[in-house]
Amino acid sequence: MKVLLTGGAGYIGTHVAVELIEQGHGVVIADDLSNSSAEAVRRVEQITGASIPLVVVDLSRPGQADHVLAEHPVDAVIHLAAFKAVGESVAQPLEYYRNNIDSTLELLAAMKRHGVSRFVFSSSGTAYEEPITLPLVETAPTGLAATNPYSRSKAIIERILVDVAASDPDLQVAILRYFNPVGNHPSGLIGEDPLGIPNNLMPFVSQVAGGRRDRVSVFGDTYDTPDGTGVRDYVHVMDLATGHVAALATLAPGVEAYNLGTGRGTSVLELIAAYSAVVGRQIPYEIVPPRPGDAAATYANVDKANRELHWRATRSLEDACRDAWAWQSANPRGYES
Ligand code: WQD
């Protein structure tokens, strides 16, 4: 299939691009490069040997998605392009709702006009409503009681997809709810390149390991978890990428949602220990107060993806730490290096 990958220059998108190409698909990337770089796409070309058209475009602007599909006929759209920082979404809800929702509406309308009926949507394990019950199963509600505007934008789009599919018997939609993506391609050529101080744990640990920051701040050690630190379901981004290709292959009319995680919880201290083992020295950390809004623990039930997509995460946390270290060592300042 020929696939339009929106947000394809980003952290997850570059990995999905590699996997699509290695499984024989053609890829066109559309990205506004607001939190990514053309260099990342060049690296994907280096890994795969393929030549990848990159359209630099803000898909939330009226008519832009239409132009892209007119110029690049495709069989499917994988829509990853979005604003994704939880904290920023609390400060700038209008920008988050506008960008994330408008780009999706524009794409769906353009797909209808161009006869494209396959759509894979990047959603989030944070779109589940509070209070959550563990492990999170796809039948749990996603919606307005998600914890922040970013997550609500994903939940709202999920609802829009259900409504649009109900009106259009041809539309085939897979919603993928990611848990905590970590790691990168084992080549170390592509990886996560956060702007400024990383919000997320793994890139922060990488920068401490690389000497760019002094120590990891562990946000709280008195949660009701085995070692008191927060527990998350860290899924290797290469596994996440194979999940997208599996979802594409299994699309059918209507909408199905799948958790993409490992089904296992890992604490902050366990992750720091795994990374320390990879680099062969203790990564320094200190316990600081909890971060407001953080859940004690989240992890997925992944039975549905196992059963229906024939997909499971096969890479370990150690693999993710080793790959993240390869990326960090070779690119201490991200793509800028
Ligand atoms: C993981 C654990 C922190 C940083 C997820 C996604 C994120 C976003 C929202 C996706 C928690 C602890 C973290 C640090 C720490 N979008 N931590 N020190 O919060 O589960 O967010 O959902 O849809 O991209 O990853 O991930 O990596 O921020 O935190 O102790 O410097 O690490 O408290 O327990 P989180 P995270």
Side-chain angles (χ1 to χ4, degrees):
M1 275 188 244
K2 181 125 175 247
V3 182
L4 173 65
L5 189 55
T6 78
Y11 168 47
I12 296 172
T14 45
H15 291 85
V16 173
V18 167
E19 195 59 32
L20 282 166
I21 292 164
E22 291 189 341
Q23 296 201 32
H25 299 286
V27 172
V28 177
I29 289 178
D31 200 299
D32 69 357
L33 303 183
S34 62
N35 187 21
S36 58
S37 70
E39 172 63 15
V41 177
R42 212 191 55 73
R43 302 275 184 98
V44 174
E45 292 182 320
Q46 192 181 336
I47 292 169
T48 59
S51 145
I52 304 168
L54 167 64
V55 187
V56 180
V57 61
D58 176 352
L59 291 166
S60 69
R61 286 181 47 211
Q64 295 301 307
D66 211 46
H67 285 312
V68 175
L69 289 182
E71 196 158 324
H72 299 277
V74 296
D75 306 294
V77 175
I78 300 183
H79 181 37
L80 313 184
F83 292 162
K84 62 161 191 172
V86 169
E88 191 177 68
S89 79
V90 176
Q92 303 172 15
L94 282 174
E95 284 80 353
Y96 270 67
Y97 286 122
R98 193 199 59 76
N99 182 62
N100 293 0
I101 296 172
D102 284 3
S103 61
T104 311
L105 297 179
E106 288 290 325
L107 273 169
L108 290 168
M111 285 170 57
K112 179 97 182 157
R113 281 193 288 273
H114 293 272
V116 181
S117 58
R118 298 184 183 91
F119 192 73
V120 175
F121 177 63
S122 163
S123 188
S124 170
T126 67
Y128 288 110
E129 294 199 328
E130 297 274 303
I132 57 171
T133 309
L134 294 175
L136 282 155
V137 187
E138 287 86 349
T139 48
T142 58
L144 298 183
T147 51
N148 62 81
Y150 157 75
S151 301
R152 274 191 285 280
S153 78
K154 293 293 181 182
I156 290 166
I157 294 165
E158 289 196 4
R159 180 68 234 187
I160 290 171
L161 289 169
V162 170
D163 290 341
V164 176
S167 77
D168 178 355
D170 293 331
L171 192 63
Q172 309 183 16
V173 178
I175 290 168
L176 303 180
R177 297 183 185 139
Y178 312 152
F179 279 70
N180 290 57
V182 289
N184 40 264
H185 191 268
S187 64
L189 282 168
I190 54 175
E192 189 168 10
D193 185 13
L195 287 172
I197 300 170
N199 288 312
N200 296 122
L201 180 62
M202 185 70 124
F204 201 100
V205 173
S206 284
Q207 292 191 4
V208 174
R212 192 168 161 185
R213 306 193 186 275
D214 290 343
R215 66 185 76 81
V216 182
S217 297
V218 174
F219 297 146
D221 68 348
T222 56
Y223 286 111
D224 183 16
T225 59
D227 65 18
T229 66
V231 164
R232 295 290 183 275
D233 186 339
Y234 297 98
V235 55
H236 197 296
V237 70
M238 291 301 301
D239 282 326
L240 209 59
T242 63
H244 288 71
V245 183
L248 198 60
T250 357
L251 281 171
V255 181
E256 289 294 341
Y258 301 96
N259 287 338
L260 296 185
T262 65
R264 282 186 310 276
T266 299
S267 75
V268 176
L269 294 182
E270 284 170 333
L271 188 146
I272 294 172
Y275 211 118
S276 300
V278 163
V279 297
R281 61 197 148 79
Q282 176 62 50
I283 290 172
Y285 68 86
E286 68 177 333
I287 309 291
V288 302
R291 183 169 62 179
D294 269 358
T298 63
Y299 51 93
N301 174 307
V302 288
D303 293 349
K304 187 176 175 190
N306 288 174
R307 200 172 55 240
E308 296 182 14
L309 303 181
H310 309 292
W311 173 89
R312 66 178 65 245
T314 60
R315 292 155 181 92
S316 66
L317 184 65
E318 287 65 32
D319 294 332
C321 294
R322 191 198 56 234
D323 296 335
W325 182 231
W327 158 251
Q328 176 67 34
S329 319
N331 308 273
R333 302 216 155 251
Y335 289 110
E336 212 182 90
S337 13

